[in-house]
Amino acid sequence: MMKVNELSAGISVSKGVFYNPKMQPLRSISVAFVKANARKGARLLDATSATGVRGIRYALEAGIKEPVLIDMNNDAYANSVGNVKANGVKADVREKSFQEFANTNDERFDIIDIDPFGSPAPLIYDAFKISKDGTLLMVTATDTAVLHGAHANACIKIYGSVPMHTELCKEAGARILLAFIARNAAQFNFGIEPLMCISDMHYLRLFMRVSHGASKALASVKELGILRQCGSCRYFEYEQGICAPDVKCAKCGSRMLIAGQMWLKGLSDRKQVEDTLKAVKKMDDPAAEKQMSMIAGELDIPFFYSVPKMTKAFSIGSVSHRKVMERLHGDGYRISETQFWKDSVKTDAGYDEVARAVRQ
Ligand SMILES: C[S@@+](CC[C@H](N)C(=O)[O-])C[C@H]1O[C@@H](n2cnc3c(N)ncnc32)[C@H](O)[C@@H]1O
Ligand SMILES: [Zn+2]
């Protein structure tokens, strides 16, 4: 039995039960997000509790009363029960699979946290059986090799979308998971609204609000579409719809790579990001604050330009992406770096302006 302290919680980790100390900042961001959003009496489900650390922190730091913690693993269940008791928290801990819980429980939750091993796909459909209008849904995926296109066939099989295996892979992966969630939600007449997106190391974490109504559901799935990127000059374009006509690059005539369907609208909500950042700053977790500040500084514009990929395509010497950003900023465009790829620029400038800035 290993003992760890994670902000408010003192946790014992039983043999064979999952606990990753490197995920502490992400847990802190989740706690801050819940704290910024939870109304009095909000009902929270920690659907994959392992040691129970999340559920316990939601109770101790975000004011959640009697969270429900479930895990289908017997050791994890026993570990959660022990930790809940040791931390003086009141919680409803159950040994159950999420699917069984969602199919046998009548209660609909205000907040649902899904953090399984690998792909969350097998849990998503059932999540909407216990969702209601306004439910906040947090989902982690660690099968990023699949979503990022290292295993294209697995992505097609599991998520029903073609991945993009270029510098746009991580952002495309986040949007593919959102498309998968939107399609599942729509079957229950729910629409989704992304509130925050975090992509780091081997994981992807999405925060969203679910809203009820046939028109909301339809509006969400109508946001889905395809992404094309030129494997040569890096030009990209995206369009709504299911059909993906094979067209040549408008800039250089090369063959375009095609990926999708994926979510093409916003990945975040400014107020949510700012409120969560504010809440993180009140915690004693510098790593979480650093990560959340980076997220808050990112423009919510689909996709970006990798400066090294462009200089390579133009056969010119290397250029600092900061210089390119300065130039675009000087020309009056909005610019930011991106969590999805290093040395890259998100901007509202078009391809031609970016290409000119890189060449200059
Ligand atoms: C990555 S760990 C969760 C870690 C925890 N959320 C944390 O932050 O430390 C995944 C846990 O989910 C449980 N799990 C996986 N699939 C599940 C399912 N379908 N229903 C319930 N629990 C599940 C596993 O037994 C494991 O304990
Ligand atoms: Zn091209």
Side-chain angles (χ1 to χ4, degrees):
M1 185 88 86
M2 181 178 73
K3 285 201 183 299
V4 288
N5 286 315
E6 186 173 302
L7 282 94
S8 63
I11 299 291
S12 298
V13 184
S14 298
K15 200 163 167 277
V17 177
F18 182 94
Y19 174 79
N20 184 352
K22 285 196 187 134
M23 291 292 116
Q24 178 190 311
L26 188 62
R27 277 189 290 272
S28 289
I29 290 172
S30 302
V31 170
F33 172 80
V34 169
K35 199 173 168 186
N37 276 291
R39 283 174 321 229
K40 210 164 170 265
R43 295 286 293 151
L44 179 143
L45 173 68
D46 177 355
T48 43
S49 72
T51 61
V53 61
R54 268 169 206 266
I56 291 167
R57 289 192 59 193
Y58 289 136
L60 293 175
E61 297 171 51
I64 297 294
K65 291 237 158 60
E66 279 193 58
V68 179
L69 277 61
I70 60 175
D71 202 295
M72 64 184 183
N73 176 282
N74 175 259
D75 293 333
Y77 163 75
N79 198 182
S80 291
V81 169
N83 282 325
V84 160
K85 197 157 173 242
N87 283 275
V89 165
K90 253 186 128 183
D92 177 357
V93 189
R94 306 208 204 158
E95 182 184 348
K96 260 202 166 70
S97 81
F98 175 66
Q99 290 88 335
E100 188 192 345
F101 177 83
N103 282 295
T104 53
N105 200 282
D106 291 334
E107 187 176 2
R108 291 176 182 264
F109 287 83
D110 298 291
I111 305 165
I112 302 173
D113 187 332
I114 296 178
D115 179 39
F117 295 127
S119 173
L123 288 79
I124 297 300
Y125 181 81
D126 289 300
F128 295 104
K129 294 181 181 166
I130 50 168
S131 293
K132 58 183 178 185
D133 190 40
T135 292
L136 298 171
L137 182 60
M138 297 176 272
V139 177
T140 313
T142 53
D143 60 332
T144 45
V146 172
L147 284 162
H148 296 172
H151 310 297
N153 284 338
C155 191
I156 293 165
K157 194 175 65 179
I158 296 168
Y159 295 103
S161 292
V162 179
M164 180 62 89
H165 197 37
T166 69
E167 69 272 24
L168 302 185
C169 66
K170 294 184 183 182
E171 184 169 339
R175 293 174 180 281
I176 284 171
L177 180 54
L178 278 170
F180 179 85
I181 296 173
R183 284 193 296 256
N184 277 276
Q187 296 178 61
F188 296 89
N189 272 336
F190 284 117
I192 62 161
E193 178 194 350
L195 301 177
M196 296 201 311
C197 165
I198 302 179
S199 166
D200 193 21
M201 299 188 282
H202 63 287
Y203 72 80
L204 167 66
R205 174 89 162 157
L206 298 173
F207 302 73
M208 67 212 90
R209 186 185 289 118
V210 167
S211 49
H212 195 253
S215 60
K216 304 260 174 59
L218 188 61
S220 276
V221 289
K222 278 192 165 172
E223 299 302 346
L224 310 184
I226 58 108
L227 163 71
R228 289 193 198 86
Q229 188 187 21
C230 176
S232 178
C233 76
R234 318 324 289 180
Y235 170 71
F236 63 76
E237 59 189 23
Y238 43 86
E239 67 181 81
Q240 286 177 357
I242 296 175
C243 274
D246 200 357
V247 298
K248 294 238 162 88
C249 173
K251 303 296 170 188
C252 77
S254 303
R255 206 185 128 242
M256 301 279 275
L257 305 163
I258 304 178
Q261 278 187 317
M262 63 182 75
W263 180 264
L264 293 177
K265 282 251 290 197
L267 291 179
S268 63
D269 174 88
R270 184 76 345 232
K271 185 172 180 317
Q272 285 288 334
V273 170
E274 273 160 17
D275 289 353
T276 303
L277 176 61
K278 228 181 273 168
V280 167
K281 281 184 173 165
K282 289 190 191 138
M283 291 172 149
D284 186 19
D285 191 334
E289 192 177 327
K290 187 170 168 226
Q291 185 168 21
M292 203 50 224
S293 301
M294 155 84 178
I295 303 290
E298 183 168 357
L299 282 176
D300 191 13
I301 293 175
F303 304 109
F304 52 85
Y305 299 92
S306 154
V307 173
K309 295 266 183 200
M310 289 182 96
T311 53
K312 191 165 173 238
F314 304 158
S315 308
I316 58 177
S318 68
V319 177
S320 138
H321 73 288
R322 287 183 198 280
K323 278 259 152 59
V324 175
M325 287 170 74
E326 270 168 33
R327 182 163 293 261
L328 289 169
H329 184 63
D331 291 343
Y333 294 107
R334 298 163 71 209
I335 39 121
S336 80
E337 294 188 303
T338 174
Q339 60 178 323
F340 294 112
W341 206 258
K342 62 178 176 8
D343 305 330
S344 299
V345 188
K346 267 192 185 278
T347 178
D348 55 356
Y351 177 83
D352 294 339
E353 287 79 42
V354 178
R356 197 177 313 126
V358 170
R359 286 201 161 99
Q360 281 168 355

